[in-house]
Amino acid sequence: MYNNAVINLGAKCNAACAHCCFSCSPASTQSMDPNYIRQLAHELAENKKINLISFTGGEIFLNYPFLQELLEIIKPYQKRITLISNGFWGISRKKTEQYFNDMEYYNVTNLTISYDEFHEPYVKADAIKNILECSRDFSNTSVALNMAVTKSKMSNRILEYMGESLLGIRVTKFPLMPVGEAKHEDPDSFQHIYKLSNERSLHCPGFEVVYHFDGQIYPCCSPAVFDTKLHLRESMDQTFDRTIEKLNSNLLFYIMRKEGFKWFIDTVQNNPEFNHIEIPEQFSSICNICNILFKTEENIDLLTPYMMNYYESMV
Amino acid sequence: MYNNAVINLGAKCNAACAHCCFSCSPASTQSMDPNYIRQLAHELAENKKINLISFTGGEIFLNYPFLQELLEIIKPYQKRITLISNGFWGISRKKTEQYFNDMEYYNVTNLTISYDEFHEPYVKADAIKNILECSRDFSNTSVALNMAVTKSKMSNRILEYMGESLLGIRVTKFPLMPVGEAKHEDPDSFQHIYKLSNERSLHCPGFEVVYHFDGQIYPCCSPAVFDTKLHLRESMDQTFDRTIEKLNSNLLFYIMRKEGFKWFIDTVQNNPEFNHIEIPEQFSSICNICNILFKTEENIDLLTPYMMNYYESMV
């Protein structure tokens, strides 16, 4: 457990997608200090418990020399690497081949391309086609395509256009959640495939340590978590191991693991001080509920006495 | 390495797809002896090196009591289980929920559904939709959809019809290979996405131990391998560990791992006794080339002196 870490390098992106959970854009400058990121790369690389390190942004290939510098730091420690990108660089065949050669060299076992109707105005579908076709020659890097979709933007036209380039590629559509820029989408466009009445769907899909470009450390990589106060950072020199300790010992996360979200939902629905929190009957992902519950410090403070009671009844 | 095993239970299937690599059908009776399969399940379950056991057929849910009996044998040993099915049972919501409950109980971490335009005449798309929708309530079993496609049967219509049921489901299209029933497909329909001139694509994607219903043990689970003489079985009481020993020590597999298929292709193309073997310039999968090279004992016998020379030049 907890054998991986994610680093969200910065918000700068060639695109400014209407659905972006981080509201990234070419004008965005938010980022962690490069020296801090270098030091973090060293720490994670040296930690023997970690076997997978992931990088995303923003668009991480925009500052390729810096990405390469980080991969160079990690290389001697033989970790597996995942890169997440919108694939804008695929438009150049030469660059694509160079990047795949580099990915092989740096033990990038997974490249995840985020592409869908929201990315389409900024990245040509042909760029993605080039990447998928080129990936056939580099079997050490497994390429997957993740698509954010809504009722009216199912990206089927894109998938049809991609044709044979998709052969052998894992494609997964995810329902868009109303976070980041996507908050401005038509509320009717979200796909509410889960029901509150179904207790089975009220569980957290899992934890991982994510270093975000706002300086915080978050307990997972769901787009919904970055708009919550589920913060794990105590200090800038906090080690990965200390973060894991926090994840394991924090009462809120303990209850989340043990009882699922039902405990929190019941608490919120049965007590008047939570009247300002509205839990929808249907939702696109449990992460959406998590986002609503833990959006503010105030909500967490109001939940604290109930969590303490839970703790006391346990011991 | 080699921490998993696959059992192909039998050729019986509710469908008789035009593309089936095993030519399965309702009339098929080919199967391993049930007592042998029980004994095999015991052996694999008890082997501490194995952490994943997969079952496929034919259609394994046709004889559900037998499948359950095997899962019951394995349960105490806490292995991960993968099941591969065409999903015909999804047409009953009640049965689908029961099977998912059972899968959770038996630690079935992965359910792979094979469905595409070839399966469509035998299994309703609505059955698959039910399965995918039901899977949202059972987060311990990850469901994936694998589709066999050709130029004229890309299954895009099916994907569009599946709509929101596909949210969160990994979908992968695989180019059909001309093996089994698919040999009768129009030769122009195959998607030849790999080129012989590209040496990078001439490598085996990997080995695993597969117990096939013809009684043989094969070194991988590609549909193309079952029509080769790449047999690993010496005796009926051969242990999993002995099979691994064979995989590791066999000279043919050693050269395949070390040199890739290029060594075999060069040997075949540069020596007149292999004139009967035609290696296509373009192909849909390297497994296709493997199938052509090792289809007959004669081919392997003709390659043997060259392999021996290779061995002697090594030592």
Side-chain angles (χ1 to χ4, degrees):
Chain A
M1 219 187 166
Y2 304 132
N3 50 13
N4 65 327
V6 181
I7 307 180
N8 299 348
L9 290 175
K12 200 177 187 62
C13 188
N14 55 302
C17 301
H19 79 309
C20 185
C21 54
F22 296 153
S23 308
C24 295
S25 80
S28 301
T29 54
Q30 201 178 19
S31 164
M32 284 184 277
D33 173 46
N35 279 329
Y36 175 76
I37 298 174
R38 287 182 187 104
Q39 180 198 316
L40 182 60
H42 275 290
E43 190 216 331
L44 299 176
E46 285 161 20
N47 190 316
K48 290 205 172 72
K49 285 177 213 137
I50 297 176
N51 56 37
L52 171 67
I53 301 173
S54 304
F55 292 96
T56 183
E59 174 49 51
I60 57 174
F61 283 85
L62 276 185
N63 187 351
Y64 190 63
F66 185 56
L67 178 62
Q68 243 184 326
E69 197 189 325
L70 299 174
L71 297 177
E72 200 67 60
I73 290 170
I74 300 167
K75 184 166 165 48
Y77 300 90
Q78 297 175 308
K79 309 291 182 188
R80 286 169 48 218
I81 305 279
T82 292
L83 302 181
I84 302 165
S85 167
N86 66 33
F88 77 95
W89 40 274
I91 207 67
S92 154
R93 277 189 184 271
K94 206 179 138 192
K95 196 159 263 185
T96 302
E97 203 163 317
Q98 183 209 320
Y99 286 173
F100 269 103
N101 267 309
D102 292 354
M103 286 191 275
E104 191 165 275
Y105 175 76
Y106 290 120
N107 200 29
V108 175
T109 52
N110 293 80
L111 169 68
T112 301
I113 299 292
S114 304
Y115 193 74
D116 40 51
E117 289 186 41
F118 296 98
H119 285 87
E120 204 181 16
Y122 305 97
V123 177
K124 289 209 169 74
D126 286 334
I128 311 302
K129 264 178 122 166
N130 275 348
I131 290 173
L132 302 185
E133 282 167 10
C134 189
S135 75
R136 290 177 195 145
D137 297 341
F138 295 86
S139 57
N140 293 332
T141 303
S142 171
V143 179
L145 175 62
N146 284 355
M147 311 185 104
V149 299
T150 63
K151 281 183 192 165
S152 60
K153 292 188 172 165
M154 283 292 276
S155 291
N156 288 327
R157 187 179 34 78
I158 292 175
L159 289 172
E160 206 167 326
Y161 180 76
M162 298 274 210
E164 295 189 356
S165 72
L166 288 173
L167 298 178
I169 304 290
R170 281 187 293 122
V171 178
T172 314
K173 292 179 177 181
F174 293 97
L176 190 65
M177 283 186 282
V179 294
E181 286 306 297
K183 275 187 222 157
H184 311 304
E185 289 288 307
D186 173 7
D188 289 338
S189 67
F190 297 105
Q191 296 159 308
H192 297 136
I193 57 176
Y194 294 98
K195 287 194 187 113
L196 207 56
S197 58
N198 187 342
E199 287 187 23
R200 282 185 167 282
S201 52
L202 304 180
H203 288 275
C204 173
F207 297 86
E208 61 186 331
V209 174
V210 181
Y211 299 84
H212 191 49
F213 52 66
D214 66 2
Q216 279 300 344
I217 305 174
Y218 290 92
C220 80
C221 67
S222 164
V225 82
F226 304 100
D227 189 21
T228 71
K229 297 295 175 193
L230 297 177
H231 295 166
L232 295 171
R233 190 183 292 281
E234 297 164 334
S235 73
M236 281 312 285
D237 57 358
Q238 179 172 326
T239 62
F240 177 82
D241 291 341
R242 172 63 194 143
T243 305
I244 297 304
E245 254 177 52
K246 284 204 66 161
L247 259 178
N248 284 330
S249 62
N250 180 290
L251 182 56
L252 191 158
F253 295 130
Y254 177 84
I255 300 174
M256 202 187 281
R257 276 189 293 264
K258 190 89 193 296
E259 308 290 339
F261 285 95
K262 187 168 162 35
W263 186 91
F264 295 97
I265 294 165
D266 286 349
T267 305
V268 160
Q269 289 184 332
N270 297 329
N271 295 287
E273 67 269 41
F274 298 102
N275 277 348
H276 62 290
I277 303 182
E278 204 181 319
I279 309 281
E281 280 303 314
Q282 301 198 356
F283 46 91
S284 53
S285 159
I286 188 65
C287 306
N288 211 170
I289 302 296
C290 182
N291 172 273
I292 291 168
L293 286 168
F294 308 117
K295 200 186 265 296
T296 63
E297 295 281 6
E298 184 207 352
N299 287 0
I300 297 174
D301 288 347
L302 287 171
L303 282 162
T304 302
Y306 296 92
M307 294 196 280
M308 292 308 294
N309 278 346
Y310 178 95
Y311 177 73
E312 275 155 26
S313 72
M314 245 172 45
V315 287
Chain B
M1 219 186 165
Y2 305 133
N3 50 11
N4 65 329
V6 181
I7 307 181
N8 299 348
L9 290 175
K12 199 176 186 65
C13 188
N14 55 303
C17 300
H19 78 309
C20 184
C21 54
F22 295 153
S23 308
C24 294
S25 81
S28 301
T29 54
Q30 201 177 20
S31 164
M32 285 185 277
D33 173 46
N35 279 329
Y36 174 76
I37 298 174
R38 287 183 187 104
Q39 179 197 318
L40 182 60
H42 275 290
E43 191 217 331
L44 299 176
E46 285 161 20
N47 190 316
K48 290 204 171 71
K49 285 177 213 137
I50 296 177
N51 56 37
L52 171 67
I53 301 173
S54 305
F55 291 96
T56 184
E59 174 48 52
I60 57 174
F61 283 84
L62 276 184
N63 187 352
Y64 189 63
F66 186 56
L67 178 61
Q68 243 184 326
E69 195 189 327
L70 300 175
L71 297 177
E72 201 65 63
I73 290 170
I74 300 167
K75 184 166 165 46
Y77 300 91
Q78 296 175 309
K79 309 293 184 186
R80 286 169 48 218
I81 304 279
T82 292
L83 301 181
I84 302 164
S85 167
N86 65 33
F88 76 96
W89 41 274
I91 208 66
S92 154
R93 276 189 186 272
K94 207 179 135 192
K95 196 160 263 186
T96 302
E97 204 163 315
Q98 183 210 321
Y99 286 173
F100 270 103
N101 268 308
D102 292 353
M103 286 191 274
E104 192 164 276
Y105 176 77
Y106 290 120
N107 199 29
V108 176
T109 53
N110 293 78
L111 169 68
T112 301
I113 298 292
S114 303
Y115 193 73
D116 41 50
E117 288 186 42
F118 297 98
H119 286 87
E120 204 181 16
Y122 305 97
V123 177
K124 287 208 169 76
D126 286 333
I128 310 302
K129 263 178 123 165
N130 276 347
I131 290 172
L132 303 185
E133 282 167 8
C134 189
S135 75
R136 290 177 196 145
D137 297 341
F138 295 86
S139 57
N140 294 331
T141 303
S142 170
V143 180
L145 176 61
N146 284 354
M147 312 185 102
V149 300
T150 62
K151 280 183 192 165
S152 60
K153 292 187 171 164
M154 283 293 275
S155 290
N156 289 327
R157 188 178 35 77
I158 292 175
L159 289 173
E160 207 167 326
Y161 180 75
M162 299 275 210
E164 296 189 355
S165 71
L166 288 173
L167 298 178
I169 304 290
R170 282 188 292 123
V171 178
T172 314
K173 292 178 176 181
F174 293 99
L176 190 66
M177 284 186 283
V179 295
E181 286 305 298
K183 275 187 221 157
H184 310 303
E185 288 287 308
D186 172 8
D188 289 338
S189 68
F190 297 105
Q191 295 160 307
H192 297 135
I193 58 177
Y194 294 98
K195 286 194 188 117
L196 207 57
S197 57
N198 187 342
E199 287 187 22
R200 281 185 167 282
S201 53
L202 304 180
H203 289 275
C204 172
F207 297 87
E208 62 186 331
V209 175
V210 181
Y211 298 85
H212 191 50
F213 52 66
D214 67 2
Q216 278 299 344
I217 305 174
Y218 289 92
C220 80
C221 67
S222 164
V225 80
F226 304 100
D227 189 22
T228 70
K229 297 296 175 193
L230 297 177
H231 295 165
L232 295 171
R233 191 183 291 281
E234 297 164 333
S235 73
M236 281 313 282
D237 57 359
Q238 180 172 325
T239 64
F240 178 81
D241 291 340
R242 171 63 193 144
T243 305
I244 297 303
E245 254 178 51
K246 284 205 67 162
L247 260 178
N248 285 330
S249 62
N250 179 291
L251 182 55
L252 191 157
F253 295 130
Y254 177 84
I255 299 174
M256 203 188 280
R257 276 190 292 265
K258 191 89 192 296
E259 309 290 338
F261 283 97
K262 187 169 162 37
W263 186 92
F264 294 97
I265 294 166
D266 285 350
T267 305
V268 160
Q269 289 185 331
N270 296 331
N271 295 286
E273 67 269 42
F274 299 101
N275 277 348
H276 63 291
I277 303 182
E278 203 180 322
I279 310 282
E281 280 303 314
Q282 301 198 356
F283 46 92
S284 53
S285 160
I286 189 65
C287 307
N288 211 172
I289 302 296
C290 182
N291 171 273
I292 291 167
L293 284 169
F294 308 117
K295 200 186 268 293
T296 63
E297 295 281 7
E298 185 207 352
N299 288 359
I300 297 174
D301 288 346
L302 286 172
L303 282 162
T304 302
Y306 296 92
M307 296 196 279
M308 293 307 294
N309 278 347
Y310 178 95
Y311 178 73
E312 276 155 25
S313 72
M314 245 171 45
V315 288

